């Protein structure tokens, strides 16, 4: 069967939906090409001397793996020269990276987590790359882009996606017209369309959460999880399954295909009500995809895409996936009066 390539898909989207300006199509093709290079690099493992620690920390104080830095640099080098970006931001860089004056600049802002789930790298488990695309504010034309230009709510994203480096390497993306998945054909080096209009079942019976944090959760969150665990004997009247892969990309990819709910909720260790995950380049792009697939994404109560960021590396609680489950949690939190 002749499959549609990513390039053909994007050109058809451009023709059909007018939702895809040429510069955005170029951006997505370049990011996809960089993710292909990251996939091949991740796949080398010990043979490519890419495992282990880089010996530095990111702004969150997390030890950076060699692959965090390699993947970050791959995405910078791939995007700098194209003329489609004004600047880019990464989990692995403290501040934004403005496109150098030796290159033409464009209107788009790219944000990414180059390797999501990097604690999985050294034990050969799934990791991914998450990316988000915003448009620079109109008043930015003619001046240098600053960090404040990135601080836009997730509802302003014009595209978002991820690459998942698992048994297959896949690219899952949306430009606001649904969610589409491409599988990397390693022989041809081409991204081939394999998943059209991905959609999340509203009802599900699988949750993803790091249970070791349960003593720190707000009581309504503990109530929700305890009811899932109590199965048919409990108020939910059905059994639930649990998965936790320590990679948001892997868990969300599973949820996009068979439903479920992903939770990294606010917990008492976070005095400013943040969660662990980053708003701008984890929660926003994944929330965009989840909503495009018919699911819901909140911080427990607020819609993720409505949150007005106040800092580039801001963190947030995350509840996303099958709409019925997300709505139930919001009800529990609302009736308890606990913002958790
Ligand atoms: P924990 C990976 O570090 C990450 O940012 C997400 O991809 C993942 O869902 C979560 O953190 C895992 O966190 O506390 O279980 O290691």
């Amino acid at each position: 069967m002749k499959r549609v390539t990513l390039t053909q898909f994007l050109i058809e989207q451009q023709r059909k939906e007018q939702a895809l300006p040429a510069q955005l199509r170029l951006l997505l093709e370049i990011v996809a090409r960089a993710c292909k290079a990251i996939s091949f690099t991740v796949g080398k493992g010990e043979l490519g001397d890419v495992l282990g620690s880089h010996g530095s920390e990111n702004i969150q104080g997390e030890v950076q793996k060699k692959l965090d830095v390699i993947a970050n640099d791959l995405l910078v080098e791939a995007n700098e020269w194209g003329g489609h970006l004004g600047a880019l931001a990464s989990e692995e860089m403290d501040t934004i990276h403005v496109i150098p004056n030796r290159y033409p600049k464009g209107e788009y802002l790219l944000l990414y987590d180059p390797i999501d789930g990097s604690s999985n790298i050294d034990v050969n488990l799934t990791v991914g790359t998450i990316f988000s695309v915003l448009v620079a504010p109109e008043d930015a034309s003619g001046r240098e882009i600053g960090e404040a230009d990135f601080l836009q709510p997730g509802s302003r994203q014009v595209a978002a996606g991820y690459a998942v480096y698992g048994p297959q390497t896949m690219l899952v993306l949306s430009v606001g017209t649904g969610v589409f998945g491409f599988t990397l054909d390693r022989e041809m080096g081409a991204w081939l369309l394999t998943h059209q209009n991905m959609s999340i079942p509203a009802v599900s019976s699988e949750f993803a959460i790091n249970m070791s944090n349960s003593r720190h959760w707000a009581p309504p969150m503990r109530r929700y999880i305890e009811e899932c665990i109590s199965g048919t004997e409990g108020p939910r009247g059905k059994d639930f399954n649990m998965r936790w892969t320590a990679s948001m990309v892997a868990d969300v990819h599973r949820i996009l295909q068979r439903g479920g709910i992903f939770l990294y909720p606010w917990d008492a260790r976070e005095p400013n009500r943040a969660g662990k995950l980053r708003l701008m380049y984890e929660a926003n792009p994944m929330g965009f995809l989840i909503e495009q697939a018919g699911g819901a994404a909140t911080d427990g109560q607020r819609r993720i895409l409505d949150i007005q960021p106040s800092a580039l590396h801001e963190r947030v609680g995350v509840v996303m996936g099958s709409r019925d489950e997300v709505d139930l949690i919001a009800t529990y939190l609302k009736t308890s009066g606990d913002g958790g």
Side-chain angles (χ1 to χ4, degrees), residues 80-125:
E80 266 195 324
W81 54 271
H84 51 285
L85 287 186
L88 46 84
S90 164
E91 180 182 67
E92 305 307 334
M93 298 190 293
D94 293 358
T95 58
I96 65 169
H97 177 83
V98 176
I99 299 302
N101 290 329
R102 65 181 179 278
Y103 296 123
K105 300 184 185 183
E107 65 175 335
Y108 293 107
L109 306 178
L110 176 66
L111 304 95
Y112 56 83
D113 179 0
I115 295 286
D116 169 68
S118 39
S119 64
N120 283 348
I121 288 171
D122 296 345
V123 292
N124 195 20
L125 294 177

Side-chain angles (χ1 to χ4, degrees), residues 49-94:
D49 188 25
V50 296
L51 301 184
S53 166
H54 182 259
S56 53
E57 287 187 355
N58 64 19
I59 196 166
Q60 309 286 349
E62 297 165 337
V63 173
Q64 290 179 306
K65 300 284 191 180
K66 287 180 188 171
L67 271 170
D68 284 322
V69 177
I70 291 167
N72 181 73
D73 295 351
L74 270 171
L75 281 156
V76 172
E77 288 150 22
N79 279 285
E80 266 195 324
W81 54 271
H84 51 285
L85 287 186
L88 46 84
S90 164
E91 180 182 67
E92 305 307 334
M93 298 190 293
D94 293 358

